[in-house]
């Protein structure tokens, strides 16, 4: 009916139907947007000319500009929409997304939070609020929002992906792998989900599964810096110095790695470049990392040593201590229990 109203030039009525449809199923509306942005924008503009404070028309114009990646212009229109109708959930959500694209996550959070307060049962508002929390470092709050969103929208690949990313960043690698596998069951060609599952599998010591995921992520989205970073770490830890160097140099050249990631890449790159003459002793490297307080990196080395299959009891105990220093008492306890199974009678 909305399309019929558009053909008849009855754009205010078309907008009413569009708004109702969006509230019923926003995903469907976003995926079935008009193919001609210029025509749709002009039709919306005819409504705005007659009524400059028509919040729905302004919001959908902002949506079109966001699809064209003109986020600053979108933000201007969406701010007008919010001022015209502060209770219009779509305008709040879209403005928050435009602010996030402009890296203003503090203001984006305020819009997402307002959208959740206006419509608590709207899963996408809750998911985007979680995204804002994750970017700001509030991983526990982010996970709570992602779980809440998934209770309302069970099979959303992108929400499952964000949940897996947050779990990975908290060190819950097994949970992250599970969430990301669910995301990939919904959407098999999801580059980000392959990236984060590959990263989780790397931290879990599953080198074969990790490399397969990271390579698939790069097939879907060539040049993805974090995929090159984790694949470089994996290849470097497997003694494949030349391949590791290629990946890590590409990741560093992107200038998008965080400071800890860049440091880890340079450290591995230094080791990879000298592997032909001398291979650094991983146990000594782990001891040095522990002294530097980098317990997560040390735990990764112990995981790789355990994968090699030698001195399991020793490396389980060392990894348990590294996990304890990270505050990951669940993982530490799991390693200590594994030791008691290997050597009954161990205190």
């Amino acid at each position: 009916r909305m399309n019929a109203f558009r053909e008849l030039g009855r754009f205010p009525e078309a907008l009413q139907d569009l708004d109702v449809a969006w509230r019923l199923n926003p995903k469907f509306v976003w995926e079935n947007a008009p193919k001609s942005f210029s025509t749709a924008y002009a039709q919306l503009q005819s409504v705005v000319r007659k009524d400059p404070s028509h919040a729905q028309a302004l919001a959908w114009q902002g949506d079109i500009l966001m699809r064209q990646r003109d986020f600053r212009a979108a933000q201007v229109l969406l701010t007008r929409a919010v001022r015209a109708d502060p209770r219009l959930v779509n305008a709040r959500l879209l403005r928050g997304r435009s602010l996030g694209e402009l890296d203003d996550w503090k203001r984006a959070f305020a819009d997402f939070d307002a959208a959740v307060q206006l419509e608590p049962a709207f899963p996408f508002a809750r998911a985007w609020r979680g995204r804002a929390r994750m970017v700001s470092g509030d991983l526990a709050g982010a996970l709570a929002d992602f779980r809440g969103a998934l209770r309302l929208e069970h099979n959303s690949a992108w929400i499952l992906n964000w949940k897996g990313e947050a779990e990975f960043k908290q060190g819950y690698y097994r949970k992250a792998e599970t969430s990301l596998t669910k995301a990939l069951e919904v959407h098999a060609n999801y580059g980000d989900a392959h990236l984060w599952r590959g990263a989780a599998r790397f931290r879990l010591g599953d080198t074969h599964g990790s490399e397969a995921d990271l390579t698939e992520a790069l097939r879907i989205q060539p040049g993805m810096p974090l995929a090159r970073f984790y694949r470089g770490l994996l290849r470097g830890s497997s003694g494949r110095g030349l391949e590791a160097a290629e990946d890590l140099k590409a990741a560093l050249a992107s200038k998008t790695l965080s400071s800890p990631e860049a440091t880890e890449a340079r450290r591995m790159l230094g080791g990879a470049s000298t592997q032909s003459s001398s291979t650094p002793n991983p146990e000594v490297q782990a001891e040095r990392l522990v002294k530097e307080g980098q317990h997560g990196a040390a735990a990764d080395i112990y995981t790789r040593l355990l994968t090699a299959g030698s001195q399991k009891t020793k490396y389980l105990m060392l990894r348990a201590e590294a996990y304890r220093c990270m505050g990951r008492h669940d993982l530490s306890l799991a390693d200590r229990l594994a030791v008691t199974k290997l050597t009954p009678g161990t205190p």
Side-chain angles (χ1 to χ4, degrees):
R1 192 173 69 175
M2 179 205 75
N3 284 324
F5 279 140
R6 286 180 62 216
E7 292 296 325
L8 292 168
R10 294 163 61 179
F11 303 127
E13 291 161 292
L15 276 169
Q16 284 296 122
D17 275 349
L18 178 62
D19 192 55
V20 172
W22 183 84
R23 285 176 176 275
L24 290 170
N25 193 335
K27 181 181 178 184
F28 177 86
V29 171
W30 282 329
E31 290 177 350
N32 291 275
K35 297 296 182 287
S36 173
F37 289 144
S38 58
T39 300
Y41 192 90
Q43 291 172 345
L44 291 164
Q45 186 61 25
S46 70
V47 177
V48 173
R49 273 196 297 268
K50 293 176 183 176
D51 180 2
S53 62
H54 197 298
Q56 292 169 332
L58 289 165
W60 288 110
Q61 280 187 311
D63 179 51
I64 289 172
L65 290 175
M66 285 185 63
R67 291 170 187 269
Q68 296 174 322
R69 303 196 66 77
D70 189 349
F71 300 114
R72 292 195 183 280
Q75 184 196 344
V76 171
L77 286 177
L78 291 163
T79 296
R80 286 175 59 189
V82 170
R83 286 174 180 164
D85 184 358
R87 299 187 62 79
L88 186 59
V89 174
N90 190 24
R92 289 281 191 180
L93 181 61
L94 288 168
R95 188 174 70 168
R97 289 174 56 201
S98 71
L99 288 165
E101 291 286 354
L102 295 169
D103 209 27
D104 189 350
W105 286 99
K106 184 175 181 180
R107 289 171 63 201
F109 174 83
D111 270 334
F112 298 142
D113 190 52
V116 172
Q117 303 308 319
L118 288 167
E119 201 160 328
F122 184 31
F124 301 132
R126 198 171 290 275
W128 275 100
R129 187 176 69 176
R131 182 67 181 174
R133 282 178 161 155
M134 180 161 63
V135 171
S136 68
D138 178 11
L139 295 174
L143 273 173
D145 270 339
F146 296 146
R147 291 189 188 109
L150 286 166
R151 280 194 289 271
L152 299 162
E153 183 76 16
H154 309 293
N155 292 316
S156 170
W158 59 276
I159 301 175
L160 283 163
N161 174 66
W162 283 353
K163 178 172 176 280
E165 181 184 346
E167 287 166 337
F168 174 84
K169 289 178 176 177
Q170 280 202 308
Y172 299 134
Y173 303 132
R174 189 67 67 191
K175 288 182 179 179
E177 183 186 25
T178 300
S179 295
L180 294 158
T181 297
K182 289 179 181 177
L184 288 165
E185 287 169 356
V186 177
H187 182 8
N189 288 319
Y190 197 159
D192 280 0
H194 279 292
L195 157 66
W196 291 112
R197 189 172 71 171
R201 286 176 166 174
F202 169 67
R203 297 303 189 195
L204 290 166
D206 178 4
T207 55
H208 178 75
S210 174
E211 183 159 13
D213 266 329
L214 296 169
T215 300
E216 180 65 6
L218 287 164
R219 184 193 68 79
I220 297 167
Q221 293 175 243
M224 189 186 289
L226 277 176
R228 299 295 296 266
F229 167 70
Y230 282 109
R231 194 173 69 172
L233 293 184
L234 183 151
R235 288 174 167 177
S237 66
S238 303
R240 296 153 62 188
L242 292 177
E243 293 171 284
E246 182 183 352
D247 275 338
L248 293 169
K249 285 177 182 177
L252 286 166
S254 73
K255 297 184 179 179
T256 59
L257 299 184
S258 68
S259 180
E261 288 164 350
T263 299
E264 191 172 1
R266 291 190 185 97
R267 180 181 291 116
M268 179 63 78
L269 195 57
S273 65
T274 59
Q275 277 181 357
S276 58
S277 57
S278 62
T279 302
N281 184 315
E283 193 171 337
V284 171
Q285 191 179 15
E287 289 175 3
R288 177 174 56 78
L289 289 167
V290 167
K291 289 177 182 177
E292 293 174 359
Q294 299 196 45
H295 302 288
D300 291 339
I301 291 176
Y302 294 134
T303 297
R304 294 196 291 272
L305 290 168
L306 283 163
T307 304
S310 62
Q311 302 185 66
K312 282 189 177 291
T313 301
K314 176 182 178 180
Y315 295 131
L316 279 168
M317 290 299 292
L318 288 169
R319 190 174 68 172
E321 180 60 16
Y323 282 146
R324 187 190 67 79
C325 293
M326 293 167 63
R328 291 306 313 276
H329 302 294
D330 54 335
L331 295 177
S332 178
L333 179 59
D335 275 354
R336 293 178 191 280
L337 289 171
V339 169
T340 62
K341 291 179 181 177
L342 289 170
T343 55
T346 302

